[in-house]
């Protein structure tokens, strides 16, 4: 499966809008873990790793940031800046989050609990693993 932007339902209301996601209607996996990234200093990056098995879905709940994905051969960048769509990231893609706006808030849900053994933290190791598959 390839990475893709997933549009979420947007319930428009004069009192404030509401969006949501659920499995299997929007997400291609059941959620096992949820975490968020915030207070990222200007110029800093987050991520810069891949997962052997874990899939993720990332939303910019507030502000904006870029998600740069690399499959070992080509790179693709996605700008997340609305809370009614997010980016699905399948396993074995190198991901870097960058260009965070002031007060941005990124929500990430994944199909796995935290497991350090699932992380690939060296890009050259990642490329070798990709070539083995």
């Amino acid at each position: 499966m390839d990475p893709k932007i997933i549009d979420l339902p947007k319930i428009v209301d004069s009192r404030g809008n509401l969006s949501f996601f659920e499995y299997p209607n929007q997400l291609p996996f059941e959620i096992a873990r949820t975490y968020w990234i915030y207070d990222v200093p200007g110029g800093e990056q987050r991520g810069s790793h891949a997962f052997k098995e874990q899939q993720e879905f990332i939303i910019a709940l507030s502000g904006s940031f870029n998600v740069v994905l690399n499959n070992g051969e080509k790179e693709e960048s996605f700008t997340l800046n609305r809370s009614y769509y997010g980016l699905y990231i399948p396993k074995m893609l190198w991901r870097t989050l960058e260009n965070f706006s002031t007060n941005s808030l990124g929500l990430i849900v994944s199909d796995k609990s935290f497991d350090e053994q699932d992380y690939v933290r060296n890009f050259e190791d990642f490329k070798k693993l990709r070539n083995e598959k």
Side-chain angles (χ1 to χ4, degrees):
M1 193 175 256
D2 292 326
K4 65 179 178 179
I5 294 290
I6 297 174
D7 290 314
L8 301 174
K10 183 177 180 183
I11 314 301
V12 178
D13 189 302
S14 61
R15 301 168 296 160
N17 301 331
L18 181 145
S19 290
F20 63 90
F21 54 85
E22 57 191 22
Y23 168 83
N25 295 327
Q26 288 82 30
L27 296 185
F29 60 82
E30 291 189 57
I31 298 169
R33 180 167 66 128
T34 302
Y35 60 99
W36 46 98
I37 296 173
Y38 57 99
D39 293 342
V40 178
E44 289 295 325
Q45 294 181 336
R46 296 296 313 231
S48 297
H49 59 263
F51 293 108
K52 296 173 192 168
E53 297 298 328
Q54 180 172 292
Q55 305 172 79
E56 291 185 325
F57 180 64
I58 302 177
I59 300 174
L61 289 179
S62 180
S64 65
F65 52 89
N66 296 336
V67 180
V68 181
L69 300 179
N70 189 311
N71 67 5
E73 296 176 10
K74 69 175 185 158
E75 198 168 85
E76 188 173 9
S77 182
F78 298 85
T79 299
L80 300 181
N81 58 10
R82 297 286 185 262
S83 56
Y84 49 84
Y85 66 82
L87 178 62
Y88 165 70
I89 306 174
K91 66 182 181 178
M92 282 306 291
L93 286 176
W94 189 267
R95 80 267 334 270
T96 302
L97 283 67
E98 61 186 20
N99 197 26
F100 287 84
S101 68
T102 302
N103 296 322
S104 59
L105 171 60
L107 175 69
I108 300 97
V109 297
S110 68
D111 68 336
K112 306 275 188 239
S113 296
F114 176 81
D115 178 4
E116 183 61 36
Q117 299 303 310
D118 193 42
Y119 282 74
V120 183
R121 297 190 183 272
N122 178 285
F123 188 69
E124 294 305 315
D125 293 343
F126 163 73
K127 289 197 302 187
K128 287 177 192 171
L129 282 171
R130 285 284 300 197
N131 289 334
E132 290 172 6
K133 296 189 181 237

